Amino acid sequence: MSIPSSSAAKLRLNLLTVTITVVVYMLVYMTNDWLFKHIEFTQGIAWIYLPAGIRLICTLLFAEAGVLGILFASLLTSSIYAIFPGDPVTTIGYSIISALAPYLAYRFTLQEMRLQRSLSNLTTTRLLACILLYGLANPLLQLMWFVLRGVSYHFWSGLIVMSIGDLTGSLIVVYAIKMLLSFVRLPPHQ
């Protein structure tokens, strides 16, 4: 039985999107590790965390395919960088939360702030609300998971630092992309 061509094209596009998300996430993760490892609060909690911005941007742009890419990329980076060595349960939970938190922020802005899936009505206010929501949801969920797993006992200080890191990283990435897009000439409306 063959897959209809439109379904096959959609599947190829989703696989490409997942792959692009994985590659970009891993490159930004490596860059973040290289630039900011020396100012890390503890393992897995950073003062500046650029991958947070990639998580949010990929979720906003690619929705579910972006979430899947973030999940795979988080699993890969957690394994490569041995964030939780010998603890696959914590690694899997961390990766699921890494993918789920930006998706929850995205879904909230879709429903409660009436953001269109096409992002055509993505205003600065909606984007900042999404960044703030994600920048607080991710650290809260991650730290609850870390405490539950016995990985971190620095809940409040970790929550503050991780929130600062996710918010800072998200703002840096979003505004860097905005600045890069300002150099792109769009065709005039006709």
Side-chain angles (χ1 to χ4, degrees), residues 1 21 26 31 34 38 42 46 52 54 59 63 91 103 119 127 141 149 154-155 170 177 184 186:
M1 179 181 233
T21 300
M26 292 187 70
T31 302
W34 178 68
H38 64 283
T42 63
I54 296 302
T59 302
T91 300
Y103 187 69
L119 303 180
L127 182 58
L141 295 172
R149 295 292 304 155
H154 308 285
F155 184 81
S170 294
I177 290 171
V184 176
L186 297 175

Side-chain angles (χ1 to χ4, degrees), residues 82-183:
I83 296 175
F84 309 105
D87 190 353
V89 173
T90 301
T91 300
I92 291 168
Y94 165 81
S95 299
I96 289 170
I97 292 168
S98 295
L100 186 63
Y103 187 69
L104 292 174
Y106 168 69
R107 295 299 302 181
F108 181 84
T109 53
L110 279 177
Q111 292 171 340
E112 300 303 318
M113 299 181 76
R114 303 195 192 336
L115 179 66
Q116 295 173 0
R117 276 185 84 86
S118 67
L119 303 180
S120 60
N121 67 337
L122 182 62
T123 63
T124 303
T125 303
R126 285 186 176 109
L127 182 58
L128 287 175
C130 200
I131 290 170
L132 184 60
L133 185 64
Y134 165 67
L136 298 175
N138 181 64
L140 182 62
L141 295 172
Q142 292 289 7
L143 266 294
M144 287 180 358
W145 178 246
F146 292 167
V147 169
L148 181 69
R149 295 292 304 155
V151 173
S152 175
Y153 302 100
H154 308 285
F155 184 81
W156 293 110
S157 57
L159 182 63
I160 291 167
V161 174
M162 192 182 279
S163 294
I164 290 169
D166 284 6
L167 289 168
T168 305
S170 294
L171 289 169
I172 290 170
V173 168
V174 166
Y175 281 99
I177 290 171
K178 182 177 174 22
M179 185 184 73
L180 290 173
L181 289 175
S182 71
F183 295 110

Side-chain angles (χ1 to χ4, degrees), residues 60-74:
L60 286 171
L61 294 177
F62 309 134
E64 290 79 12
V67 170
L68 195 56
I70 293 164
L71 176 64
F72 291 145
S74 293

Side-chain angles (χ1 to χ4, degrees), residues 30-81:
M30 289 186 288
T31 302
N32 194 86
D33 187 63
W34 178 68
L35 289 173
F36 304 118
K37 180 74 172 172
H38 64 283
I39 61 168
E40 196 173 60
F41 178 67
T42 63
Q43 179 75 11
I45 300 176
W47 284 99
I48 298 173
Y49 193 64
L50 300 175
I54 296 302
R55 289 176 185 166
L56 187 59
I57 290 293
C58 288
T59 302
L60 286 171
L61 294 177
F62 309 134
E64 290 79 12
V67 170
L68 195 56
I70 293 164
L71 176 64
F72 291 145
S74 293
L75 286 167
L76 281 170
T77 55
S78 296
S79 300
I80 292 168
Y81 284 86

